[in-house]
PDB file of all heavy atoms in Angstrom:
ATOM      1  N   VAL A 186      83.530   5.833 -47.503  1.00  0.00           N
ATOM      2  CA  VAL A 186      84.623   6.653 -46.963  1.00  0.00           C
ATOM      3  C   VAL A 186      85.556   5.805 -46.104  1.00  0.00           C
ATOM      4  O   VAL A 186      86.787   5.907 -46.211  1.00  0.00           O
ATOM      5  CB  VAL A 186      84.064   7.835 -46.153  1.00  0.00           C
ATOM      6  CG1 VAL A 186      85.183   8.550 -45.405  1.00  0.00           C
ATOM      7  CG2 VAL A 186      83.340   8.826 -47.059  1.00  0.00           C
ATOM      8  N   LEU A 187      84.996   4.932 -45.271  1.00  0.00           N
ATOM      9  CA  LEU A 187      85.811   4.074 -44.411  1.00  0.00           C
ATOM     10  C   LEU A 187      86.673   3.116 -45.226  1.00  0.00           C
ATOM     11  O   LEU A 187      87.847   2.883 -44.896  1.00  0.00           O
ATOM     12  CB  LEU A 187      84.911   3.292 -43.448  1.00  0.00           C
ATOM     13  CG  LEU A 187      84.200   4.121 -42.377  1.00  0.00           C
ATOM     14  CD1 LEU A 187      83.255   3.245 -41.560  1.00  0.00           C
ATOM     15  CD2 LEU A 187      85.209   4.803 -41.464  1.00  0.00           C
ATOM     16  N   VAL A 188      86.094   2.562 -46.306  1.00  0.00           N
ATOM     17  CA  VAL A 188      86.873   1.678 -47.188  1.00  0.00           C
ATOM     18  C   VAL A 188      88.013   2.455 -47.838  1.00  0.00           C
ATOM     19  O   VAL A 188      89.146   1.966 -47.926  1.00  0.00           O
ATOM     20  CB  VAL A 188      85.958   1.046 -48.267  1.00  0.00           C
ATOM     21  CG1 VAL A 188      86.801   0.330 -49.324  1.00  0.00           C
ATOM     22  CG2 VAL A 188      84.981   0.073 -47.636  1.00  0.00           C
ATOM     23  N   GLY A 189      87.730   3.686 -48.277  1.00  0.00           N
ATOM     24  CA  GLY A 189      88.764   4.519 -48.877  1.00  0.00           C
ATOM     25  C   GLY A 189      89.894   4.821 -47.923  1.00  0.00           C
ATOM     26  O   GLY A 189      91.082   4.761 -48.290  1.00  0.00           O
ATOM     27  N   ILE A 190      89.551   5.141 -46.671  1.00  0.00           N
ATOM     28  CA  ILE A 190      90.575   5.425 -45.659  1.00  0.00           C
ATOM     29  C   ILE A 190      91.415   4.180 -45.381  1.00  0.00           C
ATOM     30  O   ILE A 190      92.650   4.246 -45.263  1.00  0.00           O
ATOM     31  CB  ILE A 190      89.913   5.936 -44.358  1.00  0.00           C
ATOM     32  CG1 ILE A 190      89.284   7.317 -44.607  1.00  0.00           C
ATOM     33  CG2 ILE A 190      90.929   6.004 -43.229  1.00  0.00           C
ATOM     34  CD1 ILE A 190      88.437   7.810 -43.438  1.00  0.00           C
ATOM     35  N   LYS A 191      90.740   3.029 -45.303  1.00  0.00           N
ATOM     36  CA  LYS A 191      91.438   1.761 -45.067  1.00  0.00           C
ATOM     37  C   LYS A 191      92.437   1.465 -46.192  1.00  0.00           C
ATOM     38  O   LYS A 191      93.589   1.102 -45.935  1.00  0.00           O
ATOM     39  CB  LYS A 191      90.434   0.629 -44.941  1.00  0.00           C
ATOM     40  CG  LYS A 191      91.049  -0.727 -44.686  1.00  0.00           C
ATOM     41  CD  LYS A 191      89.993  -1.811 -44.570  1.00  0.00           C
ATOM     42  CE  LYS A 191      90.622  -3.192 -44.370  1.00  0.00           C
ATOM     43  NZ  LYS A 191      89.584  -4.247 -44.304  1.00  0.00           N
ATOM     44  N   LEU A 192      91.998   1.654 -47.447  1.00  0.00           N
ATOM     45  CA  LEU A 192      92.884   1.414 -48.581  1.00  0.00           C
ATOM     46  C   LEU A 192      94.064   2.384 -48.600  1.00  0.00           C
ATOM     47  O   LEU A 192      95.187   2.015 -48.933  1.00  0.00           O
ATOM     48  CB  LEU A 192      92.096   1.534 -49.892  1.00  0.00           C
ATOM     49  CG  LEU A 192      91.070   0.436 -50.174  1.00  0.00           C
ATOM     50  CD1 LEU A 192      90.254   0.778 -51.414  1.00  0.00           C
ATOM     51  CD2 LEU A 192      91.770  -0.915 -50.342  1.00  0.00           C
ATOM     52  N   PHE A 193      93.796   3.629 -48.201  1.00  0.00           N
ATOM     53  CA  PHE A 193      94.866   4.644 -48.161  1.00  0.00           C
ATOM     54  C   PHE A 193      95.918   4.262 -47.121  1.00  0.00           C
ATOM     55  O   PHE A 193      97.125   4.337 -47.384  1.00  0.00           O
ATOM     56  CB  PHE A 193      94.268   6.003 -47.836  1.00  0.00           C
ATOM     57  CG  PHE A 193      95.298   7.079 -47.656  1.00  0.00           C
ATOM     58  CD1 PHE A 193      95.969   7.619 -48.747  1.00  0.00           C
ATOM     59  CD2 PHE A 193      95.613   7.556 -46.387  1.00  0.00           C
ATOM     60  CE1 PHE A 193      96.920   8.611 -48.584  1.00  0.00           C
ATOM     61  CE2 PHE A 193      96.564   8.528 -46.200  1.00  0.00           C
ATOM     62  CZ  PHE A 193      97.232   9.064 -47.308  1.00  0.00           C
ATOM     63  N   ILE A 194      95.465   3.840 -45.934  1.00  0.00           N
ATOM     64  CA  ILE A 194      96.400   3.454 -44.856  1.00  0.00           C
ATOM     65  C   ILE A 194      97.218   2.235 -45.280  1.00  0.00           C
ATOM     66  O   ILE A 194      98.422   2.159 -45.022  1.00  0.00           O
ATOM     67  CB  ILE A 194      95.629   3.174 -43.548  1.00  0.00           C
ATOM     68  CG1 ILE A 194      95.004   4.496 -43.020  1.00  0.00           C
ATOM     69  CG2 ILE A 194      96.539   2.552 -42.493  1.00  0.00           C
ATOM     70  CD1 ILE A 194      94.097   4.310 -41.826  1.00  0.00           C
ATOM     71  N   GLN A 195      96.551   1.264 -45.941  1.00  0.00           N
ATOM     72  CA  GLN A 195      97.269   0.059 -46.390  1.00  0.00           C
ATOM     73  C   GLN A 195      98.317   0.388 -47.443  1.00  0.00           C
ATOM     74  O   GLN A 195      99.329  -0.312 -47.564  1.00  0.00           O
ATOM     75  CB  GLN A 195      96.269  -0.949 -46.969  1.00  0.00           C
ATOM     76  CG  GLN A 195      95.384  -1.607 -45.921  1.00  0.00           C
ATOM     77  CD  GLN A 195      94.313  -2.503 -46.529  1.00  0.00           C
ATOM     78  OE1 GLN A 195      94.066  -2.470 -47.726  1.00  0.00           O
ATOM     79  NE2 GLN A 195      93.681  -3.319 -45.690  1.00  0.00           N
ATOM     80  N   GLY A 196      98.082   1.470 -48.197  1.00  0.00           N
ATOM     81  CA  GLY A 196      99.014   1.851 -49.261  1.00  0.00           C
ATOM     82  C   GLY A 196     100.203   2.646 -48.775  1.00  0.00           C
ATOM     83  O   GLY A 196     101.130   2.931 -49.541  1.00  0.00           O
TER      84      GLY A 196
END
Side-chain angles (χ1 to χ4, degrees):
V186 171
L187 292 176
V188 170
I190 293 172
K191 180 180 178 182
L192 291 173
F193 175 74
I194 293 173
Q195 289 175 347

